[in-house]
Each structure stands twice: as structure tokens, then as C-alpha cells.
Amino acid sequence: MTWVEIISALLGLSCVFLAGRGSKYNFWVGYLYNIFLFCLFWHQHLYAAMILQPVAFAINTFGHWRWTHPKEEERSAADSSSLKVSAMSRGKWIAAAAIVLSGGCIWALCLQHFTQDPAPWLDSYVLMLTFLAQYLSAQKKWECWIVWLIVNVANIILYIASGLYIMPIVSLLYLTNGVWSLLSWRKKMKRGE
């Protein structure tokens, strides 16, 4: 256990808590979280998770813009300067699943051949699902919480297998927050918020 893991845990919990409540401030905490996770995963040789952080930083920036600059038809009924929660179409779900399955397979094969990643397949699919969850979060799609629940279960397994101590506990707390957020965002979506 290192101080980077402890700070990462605190930043991650704060970020997810704020996102689950629809707070725009989650993005500022998220920027710091990405930086600390990059350092943590580099040290643990979790290269897919490490590579995720610069991309996650970019998605976070995109989400920050989307949440604070909605189009007219996307505005929340509770706050016209905020993006409202919405749902994905079935076609977009099918496309997302195809991208996750193919991208995860390709990345896992690369990790197997070019790195010492201790769990290349799990690490790769967690990466692809995290990209999807982050993209859906940036678009304020309520289904992002379904994907986050899957990611958190997988992360618990990955972190334990990699010898991390605090991050599995953090993922368990994320899991709890994810269930609450899934229900909360569903209610917001029905109210047009």
C-alpha cells in the first residue's frame, strides 16, 4: 500500500460520489484522479489500466463540456444550464457491445505478447468497459451505471489479483454508490432532469 494508492482512493470516492449526485464538480476531482491512477497502475504493471488514464482525462474533459453546455433539447428541467439524464437506443447498445468485445480481444492479445500484465484478458475487458462507462457518463446516459457496476465487480477481482489493498475496498464502495446512482439517475431521467 502506497500513499499514491491512498490518495487515488480518496479522489476516486469523491469523484464518483459527486457524479452520482449529478454534480458538475466531479470533473475537477476526476482530473486529479486520472493523474494519480496513471502513476499507481504504472507501478503495478497494469498497462491497460494505465493507458486508460490519458484517454479517461480526455473523456472527462468532453463530459465536463457536455454537462455544462447542453443543446436546447438536452437541457435539464431542474437546471437549464445542465445536461439532462437520458437513455441509449437498442441499436447503440448493440454497437457498443460489438466495440467492447472486439476491442477487448485485440487489446488482450497485444498485452499477452508485449507486456508482463498479470491478467491481460480481464485487464483489457475492464479497459473497454471503462471506456464505455466513461463515454456514457459524459453523455449523462443513465445506463452508464449498469456498466460501472460490471466494471467495479471486475476491478475488485483484478485489484486483488494484482496485490492492491485499498483499491478493492474502493471498488466495493463504488459498487454501492453505483446501485444508488442507477436508481437516482433513472428517477431524474423520468422527471426530465
Side-chain angles (χ1 to χ4, degrees), residues 5-56:
E5 186 179 3
I6 294 168
I7 292 172
S8 296
L10 294 174
L11 288 169
L13 288 169
S14 300
C15 181
V16 171
F17 179 82
L18 292 169
R21 275 111 196 112
S23 172
K24 299 174 218 176
Y25 297 108
N26 83 82
F27 295 103
W28 295 107
V29 177
Y31 297 134
L32 291 173
Y33 184 47
N34 292 141
I35 293 166
F36 276 87
L37 283 182
F38 183 90
C39 297
L40 175 67
F41 294 138
W42 180 34
H43 184 264
Q44 295 300 123
H45 306 289
L46 293 173
Y47 300 111
M50 180 188 78
I51 298 281
L52 167 66
Q53 300 318 308
V55 176

Side-chain angles (χ1 to χ4, degrees), residues 66 71 74 86-100 132 135-136 139 141 143 147:
R66 286 286 291 134
K71 296 175 186 170
E74 299 174 328
S86 61
M88 286 178 59
S89 69
R90 183 170 296 190
K92 288 186 180 181
W93 264 116
I94 292 169
I99 291 168
V100 167
L132 176 60
Y135 179 74
L136 296 177
Q139 296 288 341
K141 301 293 184 188
E143 297 97 337
V147 181

Side-chain angles (χ1 to χ4, degrees), residues 135-151:
Y135 179 74
L136 296 177
S137 297
Q139 296 288 341
K140 220 169 187 180
K141 301 293 184 188
W142 80 271
E143 297 97 337
C144 74
W145 295 107
I146 295 169
V147 181
W148 280 126
L149 294 175
I150 296 166
V151 166

